[in-house]
Amino acid sequence: MGEILVIGIESTAHTAGVGVFSSERGIIANEKSEYKPAGGGIHPREAAEHHSKTFPSVLKSALKKAECRMQDITAVAVALGPGMGPCLRIGASLARALALKYRKPLVPVNHAIAHIEIARYSTGMEDPLIIYVAGGNTLITTYVEGRYRIFGETLDISLGNCLDVFARETGLGFPGVPEIEKLYHKGAQLLDLPYIVKGQDVSYSGLLTRALELYKEGYSIEDICYSLIEIAYSMLVEVAERALVHTKKKEIVLTGGVARSKILQEKLSLMAKVHDAKFSSVKPEYAGDNGAMIAYTGYLAFTSGIVIPIDKSFIKPLWRLEQVEVLWRKS
Amino acid sequence: MEKILGIGAEAVLVKDRYYGFDVVRKTRIRKNYRNPILDERIRKKRTVLEARILATCKNNGIPVPTVLHVDLGKAEIIMDYIKGARLRDIIDSLSMEEVKKYFQILGREVGLLHKAGIIHGDLTTSNMILVGDKIFLIDFGLSYFSKELEDRAVDIHLLLRAIESTHPRYVELAFKEFTKGYKEVMGEYVDVVLKRMEEIRMRGRYVAERRHKVK
């Protein structure tokens, strides 16, 4: 078989992304357009409208970057979930249309698995413990017997969600993490916010509520940001450490939108050192949602024989990652 | 005299002597990734909680190590060393009658634990030590106070999962006897908690994979 080219379509939340992966040249395109809410959080219908308007040009520029035509593509991969229904439908419709028009096989990809695989790809790690932190997810997982198993996760809202909502409610803007981290460095005093670890799991909703209360009570925003970040990240590193000791893995990788955080990277790396484990973070361009990770994971799935008939390619808004059989890692 | 018994993610356990007693020193480790004030606050709080839970167990007739000393500055608990065999290590050498007997005892103890408003949080056969006709429960590092049905059901679910994964051939027998013992303490409530446990076990983790070969 010659060069295999897989195009990947991402539209689970606020990103309309298209990437191309080549079996010979690696990732050769990663184009995207991000929906930015006018106020408040992501409005699923507005995000979907954004995607349907921008996908044609994102697709065109991805093919241009990859210097190929749709005819050259071997398979079309699409993130069918988990994510917001209206958004998922846009990407799925585009992928189905491309597969039908150009007679290409359609490959279903789980968005969370794609974040994991792109992290392994971009760091070269073989069998890491994975810390996946983003707007929709906060979980710790690793590969055990054919699947990615979850060793700890948030019991309520995600870390990214917690920080984004705090930033929005205090007028720091979206996305919130960079702004809060700027203020983190100016904070001096550790305020009393709830640190909630339950066994292997964390909970962030109480932390968010209390941080917002302190803001209304007039505490300095710098101190609140310092305390919020310090506590939210420490909770995550603690459960990651538990999972590391339990699974005895020797590598840790950080992935997802919040993976760009230097502060979180540093905390995880301090923890890893104590256990003689290697730590690395996904490359920044693959941290947030993107089409390249869908293309790459689609390539792994496709070469393991995973395709889906178009009339069965329903979206799966609640598709959990441990439901996916990871055939490409089976030895 | 000192001997390291185990190093977990959170604490180090050392066997030591203390005023003529064989003891275990459980020290919660400083974490350099946390703000020092936060770190101290957490380690102190958890040390107090664990000591309080151990004391509550004692008051309710549940066999656990006796707390001899608590040093909050070091986030350390000194408790007596329980000399005996871990259930995990000897279960395979027990007769069926013995397995039945011990799981009934265990059921009674977990019943007492739940009645006292305590959730163990890590009920595996590694955390159970056989001493005569008693089973000492150890490692209350993940324990907390709760009388919620959901928490109790999860506690028992974790035990069942532990038996399933490490001692599969005893599952049915052991769990039946466990249920008997639990019922002796908690009465008909056992049905309520087992029903919730079934629900927890059924909570959607199943999806048919759609896999087709490339033509």
Side-chain angles (χ1 to χ4, degrees):
Chain A
M1 214 182 214
E3 182 180 38
I4 299 174
L5 284 174
V6 178
I7 191 164
I9 314 283
E10 157 66 32
S11 72
T12 58
H14 62 302
T15 304
V18 178
V20 180
F21 180 82
S22 147
S23 58
E24 309 300 313
R25 295 171 285 159
I27 291 165
I28 48 176
N30 188 24
E31 299 297 299
K32 64 169 119 175
S33 167
E34 281 177 17
Y35 154 79
K36 294 207 169 57
I42 299 177
H43 188 302
R45 199 195 63 237
E46 284 175 13
E49 273 169 22
H50 161 269
H51 295 347
S52 65
K53 275 185 199 136
T54 54
F55 254 137
S57 64
V58 176
L59 174 64
K60 261 183 215 154
S61 60
L63 289 171
K64 199 174 162 199
K65 266 266 166 65
E67 294 174 341
C68 69
R69 301 165 306 155
M70 265 316 291
Q71 285 84 345
D72 308 323
I73 296 287
T74 321
V76 178
V78 57
L80 289 180
M84 297 178 181
C87 302
L88 287 170
R89 256 172 231 122
I90 306 299
S93 301
L94 172 64
R96 288 179 201 127
L98 290 174
L100 272 176
K101 178 159 197 279
Y102 298 97
R103 295 171 187 280
K104 306 292 180 190
L106 189 62
V107 184
V109 170
N110 177 296
H111 175 87
I113 299 274
H115 272 294
I116 294 171
E117 293 304 344
I118 199 69
R120 289 177 62 226
Y121 172 82
S122 93
T123 59
M125 283 190 171
E126 277 290 315
D127 185 23
L129 181 76
I130 299 125
I131 323 289
Y132 169 26
V133 279
N137 282 287
T138 300
L139 52 87
I140 292 156
T141 175
T142 197
Y143 179 82
V144 181
E145 289 172 15
R147 286 170 199 246
Y148 287 105
R149 316 272 171 177
I150 293 176
F151 283 84
E153 64 184 315
T154 177
L155 296 169
D156 37 61
I157 57 173
S158 74
L159 175 58
N161 193 213
C162 170
L163 298 177
D164 280 345
V165 171
F166 179 81
R168 194 174 79 210
E169 296 292 313
T170 53
L172 294 174
F174 178 88
V177 182
E179 291 307 315
I180 297 175
E181 289 199 348
K182 254 183 237 161
L183 294 171
Y184 166 93
H185 292 289
K186 293 182 188 154
Q189 202 199 335
L190 183 77
L191 304 171
D192 197 8
L193 293 172
Y195 181 102
I196 302 174
V197 168
K198 292 184 179 176
Q200 309 269 27
D201 300 321
V202 292
S203 156
Y204 286 122
S205 69
L207 179 60
L208 171 62
T209 306
R210 188 70 194 123
L212 287 172
E213 278 172 9
L214 290 184
Y215 178 71
K216 285 187 195 115
E217 286 166 21
Y219 282 86
S220 96
I221 185 82
E222 290 86 1
D223 285 348
I224 302 175
C225 287
Y226 173 73
S227 310
L228 179 62
I229 289 288
E230 188 61 34
I231 289 176
Y233 290 0
S234 295
M235 282 162 55
L236 185 68
V237 178
E238 183 182 343
V239 289
E241 186 175 25
R242 285 228 174 109
L244 185 75
V245 169
H246 181 74
T247 59
K248 300 188 173 75
K249 300 275 170 165
K250 282 289 151 207
E251 299 168 323
I252 305 176
V253 76
L254 179 63
T255 193
V258 189
R260 295 190 198 92
S261 162
K262 288 271 179 292
I263 303 168
L264 183 55
Q265 289 176 14
E266 198 190 308
K267 283 187 185 301
L268 281 166
S269 139
L270 278 171
M271 183 275 281
K273 227 175 254 166
V274 174
H275 298 278
D276 289 319
K278 263 195 258 167
F279 170 77
S280 193
S281 185
V282 67
K283 282 198 184 124
E285 64 261 42
Y286 307 131
D289 293 352
N290 63 84
M293 69 183 193
I294 306 301
Y296 173 62
T297 311
Y299 165 76
L300 296 175
F302 177 69
T303 49
S304 313
I306 300 171
V307 296
I308 194 168
I310 287 174
D311 59 353
K312 297 255 171 64
S313 63
F314 311 111
I315 58 161
K316 301 184 199 177
L318 299 174
W319 195 7
R320 278 181 71 91
L321 78 117
E322 72 263 57
Q323 292 172 334
V324 178
E325 258 189 285
V326 185
L327 298 173
W328 52 92
R329 286 192 65 176
K330 275 194 178 155
S331 41
Chain B
M1 215 63 216
E2 288 193 8
K3 185 184 154 215
I4 293 178
L5 296 172
I7 302 176
E10 203 185 356
V12 179
L13 280 95
V14 178
K15 193 182 168 193
D16 203 354
R17 296 280 292 173
Y18 184 79
Y19 292 103
F21 288 98
D22 279 333
V23 297
V24 174
R25 271 198 288 126
K26 177 170 183 173
T27 315
R28 286 188 153 76
I29 313 162
R30 274 203 179 83
K31 299 293 172 193
N32 61 355
Y33 58 79
R34 280 196 293 235
N35 170 301
I37 299 168
L38 175 67
D39 187 59
E40 197 174 324
R41 199 187 285 167
I42 292 164
R43 288 186 300 119
K44 269 189 186 168
K45 206 170 138 189
R46 290 185 183 165
T47 306
V48 170
L49 179 66
E50 188 172 352
R52 192 169 287 158
I53 282 175
L54 286 169
T56 310
C57 287
K58 276 280 176 228
N59 291 342
N60 287 278
I62 303 150
V64 296
T66 307
V67 175
L68 300 172
H69 185 65
V70 177
D71 185 333
L72 277 189
K74 292 188 199 157
E76 184 174 278
I77 298 177
I78 297 178
M79 51 193 134
D80 64 344
Y81 176 77
I82 307 297
K83 204 172 169 208
R86 275 176 201 252
L87 186 56
R88 183 199 176 109
D89 300 333
I90 58 147
I91 193 166
D92 287 324
S93 62
L94 296 175
S95 69
M96 280 299 173
E97 282 313 304
E98 284 172 316
V99 170
K100 279 168 81 172
K101 182 179 90 181
Y102 285 123
F103 272 90
Q104 197 175 345
I105 293 171
L106 184 67
R108 219 159 22 222
E109 291 180 1
V110 174
L112 286 171
L113 201 66
H114 286 181
K115 200 175 181 184
I118 297 166
I119 304 298
H120 185 280
D122 195 13
L123 284 174
T124 65
T125 47
S126 309
N127 288 334
M128 296 161 189
I129 299 178
L130 253 58
V131 184
D133 265 354
K134 284 183 178 165
I135 298 172
F136 275 76
L137 302 176
I138 60 165
D139 195 356
F140 284 73
L142 292 177
S143 303
Y144 56 98
F145 287 105
S146 165
K147 287 191 172 178
E148 295 284 326
L149 172 61
E150 175 85 8
D151 295 334
R152 288 170 170 173
V154 170
D155 217 20
I156 298 175
H157 157 65
L158 291 178
L159 171 69
L160 182 54
R161 197 171 67 184
I163 311 172
E164 281 168 348
S165 58
T166 44
H167 319 291
R169 58 201 181 100
Y170 295 122
V171 175
E172 260 179 58
L173 181 78
F175 198 66
K176 201 177 138 204
E177 294 303 318
F178 174 88
T179 309
K180 266 191 212 164
Y182 192 84
K183 192 175 176 177
E184 277 178 37
V185 179
M186 299 295 272
E188 299 304 321
Y189 180 83
V190 69
D191 298 329
V192 182
V193 83
L194 290 184
K195 185 167 170 271
R196 176 61 70 92
M197 187 189 75
E198 272 316 306
E199 284 168 27
I200 291 166
R201 292 169 82 85
M202 295 306 285
R203 274 176 205 164
R205 288 281 161 98
Y206 170 79
V207 140
E209 282 289 322
R210 299 194 191 89
R211 185 182 163 211
H212 300 270
K213 286 277 169 225
V214 189
K215 284 189 185 105

